[in-house]
Amino acid sequence: MIEFDTRPDRDAEVALVGRSNVGKSTLMRELTGHSFDTGGKPGVTREPNHYDWAPEDFVITDLPGFGFMSGVDEDLREEIKTEIVHYLEAYADNVLVAVLVVDGKSVIDIIDRHSGPDEIPYDVEMFHFLRELDIPTVVAVNKMDKVDNEDERLNELCDRLGLYPPWKQWQEVIAPISAKKGQLEPLHEAVREHLHEQNRDDLFKFF
C-alpha cells in the first residue's frame, strides 16, 4: 500500500510533480538543502516527500513520479498516478505553485511517442489538469545543460503544451534549469512571480 496521507499540517504548499527520473528529487534537494532518496532507476520515490520549515506555515512536497518505471507493474503505476491526482485535488486550494518537472533532453520525444487519437501524453495531461484545478503551474525544464538548441527545444515544448511560441513570452510558466548543476534561477523567478501574485513574498527566502 502506498502511503499518501503523510502531509504535515501546513496551509501553504509548493508541489513538485512529473514523470519518474526527470530529476524531481535532485531539485527538491537543491531547493531545501536536504537529501532525499534519488536513484538512477525510475520510481525510487513511491510516496510523497515533504519538507517543512518549523516556523513557517509552509511545505514543499515532492510527489512520486508517474509514467513508466522499470520493474514496477502497470497496476502499481496506475495506483500511484491515481493517488497523485487525488492528492492534488484534495490540496488544490493550498498549493500556491505546482512545479511540473520534465526532462528537457527527452520530453519532446516522449510526448510525441504517446500522442495519438486515443492517448494524451502524461506530461501534457498533467499540465492541463493542474491548470484546470486553478493551481499556478511552472514547467521546470530540467537537464537543459544536455540540450544543444535551447530556444528550439523550449519552443517545441510550448507548442506541445498548447502555449503559443516563442517560449520567452511564457517565462512565468517555462523555466529552463539544470538541477544537478544548481542552475535554478529561471525557476526561482517564475515561482516568486506566482507567490507575489498571491501576496506571499514572505516565502521568497525559500526560492
Side-chain angles (χ1 to χ4, degrees), residues 98-102 127 137-141 157 161 172-176 187:
V99 179
L100 173 60
V101 187
V102 300
F127 178 70
T137 303
V138 177
V139 182
V141 193
L157 180 59
L161 294 174
E172 79 286 358
V173 181
I174 303 290
L187 177 63

Side-chain angles (χ1 to χ4, degrees), residues 67-185:
F68 176 76
M69 300 168 225
S70 61
V72 179
D73 69 45
E74 192 170 343
D75 287 348
L76 181 55
R77 292 204 304 261
E78 282 304 312
E79 184 189 344
I80 290 170
K81 188 174 169 228
T82 300
E83 291 288 352
I84 292 167
V85 165
H86 289 164
Y87 182 95
L88 291 167
E89 286 174 336
Y91 295 109
D93 291 343
N94 304 88
V95 180
L96 301 173
V97 186
V99 179
L100 173 60
V101 187
V102 300
D103 182 333
K105 195 162 176 249
S106 62
V107 64
I108 302 300
D109 289 341
I110 290 170
I111 287 175
D112 288 352
R113 196 182 316 143
H114 292 281
S115 294
D118 303 316
E119 192 175 17
I120 301 172
Y122 280 151
D123 303 286
V124 176
E125 185 180 33
M126 184 59 72
F127 178 70
H128 291 292
F129 173 66
L130 290 164
R131 285 162 73 106
E132 279 164 22
L133 292 175
D134 283 331
I135 298 174
T137 303
V138 177
V139 182
V141 193
N142 195 20
K143 309 184 187 180
M144 286 304 288
D145 53 304
K146 298 179 177 173
V147 173
D148 292 333
N149 191 329
E150 180 173 306
D151 286 341
E152 187 181 320
R153 179 61 47 88
L154 296 172
N155 286 341
E156 287 179 328
L157 180 59
C158 280
D159 181 61
R160 304 306 191 273
L161 294 174
L163 304 172
Y164 195 71
W167 77 271
K168 286 191 173 165
Q169 65 183 331
W170 299 103
Q171 290 187 48
E172 79 286 358
V173 181
I174 303 290
I177 63 166
S178 173
K180 216 168 225 181
K181 294 186 175 244
Q183 295 165 354
L184 302 181
E185 197 49 45

Side-chain angles (χ1 to χ4, degrees), residues 34-53:
H34 184 80
S35 231
F36 296 86
D37 284 340
T38 60
K41 70 177 197 298
V44 171
T45 308
R46 303 274 176 91
E47 297 166 0
N49 281 320
H50 302 282
Y51 192 77
D52 61 334
W53 285 261

Side-chain angles (χ1 to χ4, degrees), residues 17-18 23 28 33 57 59 104 110 116-117 185 204:
V17 294
M28 182 80 162
D57 189 17
V59 61
I110 290 170
E185 197 49 45
F204 278 16

